[in-house]
Every structure is written in C-alpha cells, then in structure tokens.
Amino acid sequence: MATVMNSRADRALSFDLQTFPVPHGREEEWRFTPLERVAPLFELASGNSVDVSVSGEANYEVGGRDDQRLGNGFPPEDRTAVVEWNSFREAHMITIPRDARLDQEVTVSVVSKSDEQVSPLHFYFEAQTHSESTVVLHHSGSGRVNEGVEIVVGDGAHLTFVSVQQWNDDAVHTASHRIRMGRDATLKHIVVSLGGDLVRVTSSVQYTAPGSDVNMLGAYFVDSGQHIENRLLVDHSVENAVSNVTYKGALQGQDAHSVWIGDVLIRPEAIGTNTYELNRNLVLTEGARADSVPNLEIETGEIEGAGHASATGRFDDEQLFYLMSRGIAEEEARRLVVRGFFAELIHQIGVETVEQNLMAAIEEELDLTMSGTSHE
C-alpha cells in the first residue's frame, strides 16, 4: 500500500513540552482556533481557582503526579494538553470497583471562580473489569481552565461518561480526553457544550484489545461571539472493534463559531472494524459559521463497514411554512424544528438529568432567539 502523507498515525505524541511549540495558527490542529483567546493556556501555570466535589458510590482519591496509574495511555497530542500534563500538581482519581453495578450516576462537579490565572486540572477515571456505571463531569463558573482527562475502561466494563460544559460566558476551557479501551469494553462518551467564551474539547480513543464498542455523542449550542470546538480521533488498531460518532450543534448570533473535526484511523491490523461518524449543524441566524471536517483513513480492506457524513444547513423556511400552514404559531413552529433537530441525539444520552438539563438550555437559547437578544 502506498505511503499515506500526513497520516494521523504519524501524529506527535509526547509528555515533553518541547515537542509542541507554541502554535502560530497555521498548524492543522489549530487553524480554526482563535489563538489570541486561548494563548494564556499555552504556558505553564499553577493557578488553583477550581473547586472539585464528587458524589456517588465510586472511590475518590486525590493523588500526586507520581501515582503509577497516571499517564499509562497515550501521551498528550497538542500544546495545551502537554502544558496541562506538566503543570498539574495533584490528580482527582475516580474508580468504579471491579464487578460493581452502580444504580445512580457518579457526579463530579467543577466550579471555577473568576481568576486571571490559568488553572491546570487533571482527572483519572477508571471503570474496572466488568463494572457498570455512569459518570457525569459537570463544569460551571468563570475563569481559565486547562484540563486533562484520562479514561480507562477495563475488560468487559460498561461506562457512560458525560462531560457537560455549562460555563459562564467569559470562561475559557480546553480539555484533552484520552480514552483507553479494554477487551470487550463498552463506552458511551458524551460531550455537551452550552456556554463559555471558548471551549475546545479533544477526545481520542485507543483500543488495546478486540471486541470494544465506543459510541461518541455530542451536542452544542453556540451563541453570539462564542467559539465551541470539538476534535475527535478514533484510532482503530485492533480487530473487531466498533465506533459510532454523532455530534449535532445549533448556532445563532453574530460570530457564533463551531468547529467539529472527526478523524477515524483504521490501521492495517484492524480487521473487522465497523465505524461511522456524523456531524450536523443548524444555523439559526445570519453571522454564524460552522466548520465541519470528517476524515476517514483506511489502511485495510478487511472491514465490516466505514463511513462518514457532514451537513450544515440554515433554518428550513419550508418546514416552518408547513407547520404554520397547519395552524401552529411561528414562534412555536421554530421551537419544534429545533427540538426535532436535537431530539434523537438527546434520547440516546440515556441519563435523565443530563437530558433534562440539555433541553432546558436549548429552550433558554431559543427564548433569546425569539426575543432578538443574545448573551453579552
């Protein structure tokens, strides 16, 4: 097979700061990001303006950098991730014990206070062998947070992991989710972004043994002046693994900007892979912009299936006219169209509190649209 230029398989991975110089904006991984807004997170930091609390039946510890569980997956893959790794002093470690079946979700609350300093924040989540659990990582408040999240799903474990970004509108947040899948492990990974001045979440999956199944879901609502960016990499490197990706976003207001990059790599040894990725964006007003780039790199023909789709469209006036012609008022008709756009995705989340929170946030954004106002 011919050599693939710029293959994601050849991307830089390192715990060394020198591997990732400060970006200048022409790098592929940074070309959509407004660097002036994220620049403070490119330098080592020691801020501590974040409060973390954990509720639920999981084991919770605060460990030092020298804990042997940390860093055993793949290393950081961009500047903010490697800066976070070299900045944090303690890690919040949440473990679901072997064979445990948790009936209630584990909730990890991150509240950031307004602070000019950048706060590095590190998490380690492990769902041990044959456990079943749901973990919700919820962010709120103001400030600048550079976050690293290690997720280990053990052999035969079933984990639903939800990250909710419900920041105040002045917050800047970058997060690197580095996921390691065991044999026959199942993960539902959900990213919901509803606020913040700039939110950039990179999520990367590493398979270590056959039989794993990853379902990645994402929802975002971008308002005037906000930048929400999701970058995903699913690295199929073992036989008979499955991945499905579905992200949906709505945008409204001047300079509302969403970015979705979906990379799927199927290596030569990944025989029997089955994968599909989808991104859809609904532009509600003039002045908003959605960038969507799906990438599928296949290095073997012996797979079950692989595909991707991306679509960005403006509000459907014909659909609106259809509803209004049947006696539905214009405001309610608009709400129905947006609700319908998100409904299927929301129902897949499977965590009632998150579903309700997301729908309430969408309704709040629609109220702003109908009133002709936006977030300051």
Side-chain angles (χ1 to χ4, degrees):
M1 181 176 291
T3 301
V4 178
M5 300 302 293
N6 298 318
S7 169
R8 293 292 281 148
D10 300 327
R11 71 193 187 281
L13 294 169
S14 178
F15 293 104
D16 185 354
L17 274 171
Q18 302 306 314
T19 303
F20 302 99
V22 174
H24 47 63
R26 294 186 296 276
E27 302 86 353
E28 176 59 33
E29 65 268 32
W30 292 103
R31 67 188 180 96
F32 291 109
T33 310
L35 295 187
E36 70 281 0
R37 289 154 75 173
V38 76
L41 281 68
F42 291 148
E43 305 298 337
L44 292 174
S46 59
N48 188 23
S49 64
V50 176
D51 294 327
V52 176
S53 60
V54 179
S55 63
E57 298 180 9
N59 297 332
Y60 172 49
E61 313 163 65
V62 178
R65 294 183 55 86
D66 58 350
D67 192 292
Q68 295 302 304
R69 289 169 289 181
L70 298 177
N72 287 322
F74 53 94
E77 51 192 326
D78 66 23
R79 177 68 185 187
T80 52
V82 77
V83 165
E84 185 278 332
W85 174 263
N86 284 278
S87 295
F88 81 89
R89 292 293 170 261
E90 59 183 24
H92 302 273
M93 311 183 76
I94 294 91
T95 304
I96 313 300
R98 182 188 181 100
D99 297 322
R101 307 286 195 274
L102 304 189
D103 294 327
Q104 299 294 323
E105 60 259 29
V106 176
T107 300
V108 181
S109 297
V110 174
V111 180
S112 178
K113 298 160 285 187
S114 182
D115 197 318
E116 289 301 314
Q117 287 187 306
V118 175
S119 294
L121 180 62
H122 200 85
F123 286 102
Y124 175 88
F125 295 93
E126 181 178 1
Q128 293 186 343
T129 302
H130 299 302
S131 63
E132 295 183 9
S133 59
T134 296
V135 174
V136 179
L137 175 60
H138 186 273
H139 306 83
S140 63
S142 298
R144 300 171 178 177
V145 178
N146 188 7
E147 180 181 60
V149 181
E150 299 183 61
I151 302 172
V152 178
V153 188
D155 293 349
H158 296 263
L159 173 65
T160 296
F161 183 89
V162 188
S163 179
V164 181
Q165 287 63 243
Q166 201 162 12
W167 296 107
N168 295 344
D169 289 341
D170 59 346
V172 174
H173 177 212
T174 59
S176 171
H177 291 198
R178 302 193 286 278
I179 302 162
R180 183 155 49 101
M181 300 293 297
R183 181 180 297 273
D184 298 324
T186 301
L187 171 67
K188 184 185 289 186
H189 179 269
I190 303 157
V191 175
V192 177
S193 296
L194 302 171
D197 177 58
L198 181 146
V199 174
R200 187 181 195 264
V201 180
T202 63
S203 304
S204 298
V205 178
Q206 176 189 59
Y207 294 89
T208 66
S212 296
D213 189 331
V214 176
N215 187 15
M216 307 182 79
L217 305 174
Y220 46 93
F221 207 122
V222 192
D223 201 61
S224 178
Q226 292 179 328
H227 178 95
I228 292 180
E229 185 167 343
N230 289 283
R231 288 179 169 266
L232 294 86
L233 170 63
V234 183
D235 188 348
H236 282 274
S237 57
V238 300
E239 298 181 359
N240 302 319
V242 175
S243 66
N244 285 284
V245 176
T246 305
Y247 270 60
K248 288 188 175 184
L251 302 91
Q252 66 178 10
Q254 188 65 37
D255 296 325
H257 187 198
S258 71
V259 176
W260 180 87
I261 309 294
D263 291 332
V264 175
L265 170 62
I266 304 175
R267 297 177 185 262
E269 59 271 28
I271 297 169
T273 292
N274 196 339
T275 182
Y276 190 81
E277 60 175 350
L278 169 69
N279 177 230
R280 288 184 176 169
N281 297 288
L282 180 62
V283 179
L284 300 176
T285 65
E286 297 291 335
R289 171 187 169 189
D291 288 300
S292 179
V293 184
N295 299 302
L296 182 58
E297 187 177 342
I298 305 174
E299 298 181 344
T300 176
E302 298 181 63
I303 61 174
E304 291 295 316
H308 61 74
S310 172
T312 298
R314 296 193 177 278
F315 195 93
D316 192 336
D317 289 331
E318 290 186 7
Q319 194 173 12
L320 180 64
F321 175 79
Y322 175 85
L323 292 171
M324 292 177 64
S325 70
R326 277 148 181 78
I328 300 174
E330 179 178 357
E331 179 174 328
E332 182 58 25
R334 288 183 177 274
R335 291 180 183 273
L336 287 173
V337 172
V338 177
R339 288 175 190 153
F341 174 75
F342 280 108
E344 182 181 1
L345 175 67
I346 291 174
H347 292 155
Q348 290 184 60
I349 291 174
V351 182
E352 185 176 357
T353 55
V354 176
E355 292 178 353
Q356 292 175 349
N357 189 22
L358 177 54
M359 186 53 71
I362 290 171
E363 292 291 341
E364 181 181 346
E365 295 290 352
L366 289 172
D367 287 341
L368 295 173
T369 303
M370 303 311 169
S371 65
T373 61
S374 62
H375 293 296
E376 295 297 328

